[in-house]
Amino acid sequence: MTPFSPLVSPVSAPPALDAQDLRKSYGRGKRRFAAVQGVTLTIAPGQVLAFLGPNGAGKTTTIKMIAGLIRPDGGWVNIAGKNPHRQPQALQGVGAVLEGNRNLYWRLTPLENLEYFGVLRQMSGKMARRRGQSLLASFGLLDKQQVPVQKLSRGMQQKIAIAPP
Ligand SMILES: Nc1ncnc2c1ncn2[C@@H]1O[C@H](COP(=O)(O)OP(=O)(O)OP(=O)(O)O)[C@@H](O)[C@H]1O
Ligand SMILES: [Mg+2]
């Protein structure tokens, strides 16, 4: 991914996210290659940023560096003024990161997934089922409760993936 400068809204509040000159290489020796080469992003509170690029451009690697999941080789990150690599509480204001949808069982229905994860978290089967139905209702997915997750749209899958147990 090569450097670029996103549009920044003219809001004077301190940035919600400030990432400067992020860099990351993978591999060793001759196989070493730069996945992210100097990405700078600033997002003001309330601003929406679309971060687009072709497959393999380095988007996920950049987001992992922002979320403190991998250490950048260069550059720095601030979330609401804190460095997530040194102060994990910086991530408390990050609601959810939806990267893919691997955390669901594809052949199970949304309700079966929610029941399964509810029971794993110590709920009774009955309680997990009731809770699952109420979560599906609040996401407007009651009509999909019997459809296997693999036949839902990506956005529907993502709603189920973030549904709290
Ligand atoms: N853990 C890793 N080890 C080695 N190479 C990696 C690793 N993770 C990602 N890469 C490589 O880094 C490059 C950027 O990958 P990344 O996952 O950041 O791309 P992306 O922009 O999110 O792509 P996509 O749109 O397909 O999700 C790719 O060439 C990928 O193969
Ligand atoms: Mg990706």
Side-chain angles (χ1 to χ4, degrees):
M1 181 170 271
T2 44
F4 71 102
S5 304
L7 290 173
V8 177
S9 75
V11 178
S12 59
L17 169 69
D18 193 5
Q20 294 289 328
D21 200 24
L22 288 175
R23 291 166 188 277
K24 182 75 188 175
S25 291
Y26 288 119
R28 287 167 192 267
K30 283 187 183 165
R31 296 206 175 161
R32 192 166 172 84
F33 77 98
V36 175
Q37 305 179 61
V39 168
T40 292
L41 294 172
T42 308
I43 308 180
Q47 187 184 7
V48 173
L49 176 77
F51 189 45
L52 307 176
N55 294 142
K59 302 177 296 294
T60 295
T61 303
T62 302
I63 289 165
K64 283 181 175 170
M65 289 191 280
I66 289 170
L69 296 173
I70 54 174
R71 205 173 284 284
D73 296 336
W76 50 265
V77 180
N78 257 297
I79 296 178
K82 293 198 172 95
N83 178 339
H85 293 271
R86 296 209 189 99
Q87 300 159 283
Q89 66 273 33
L91 295 167
Q92 279 168 359
V94 176
V97 175
L98 296 173
E99 169 56 31
N101 29 27
R102 276 164 284 186
N103 45 351
L104 295 173
Y105 289 99
W106 287 81
R107 292 183 192 199
L108 298 184
T109 65
L111 188 55
E112 286 164 348
N113 269 281
L114 294 174
E115 280 180 70
Y116 175 76
F117 287 111
V119 169
L120 273 191
R121 299 198 183 204
Q122 320 299 329
M123 283 181 201
S124 70
K126 198 173 162 191
M127 177 69 177
R129 188 174 173 81
R130 218 182 312 149
R131 181 97 179 101
Q133 275 165 332
S134 103
L135 285 166
L136 289 176
S138 61
F139 283 123
L141 288 173
L142 272 184
D143 58 330
K144 297 286 184 188
Q145 59 181 310
Q146 302 300 342
V147 179
V149 159
Q150 62 188 332
K151 294 196 176 162
L152 299 183
S153 76
R154 186 174 164 90
M156 291 171 184
Q157 291 166 356
Q158 289 178 327
K159 281 180 179 169
I160 297 160
I162 63 160

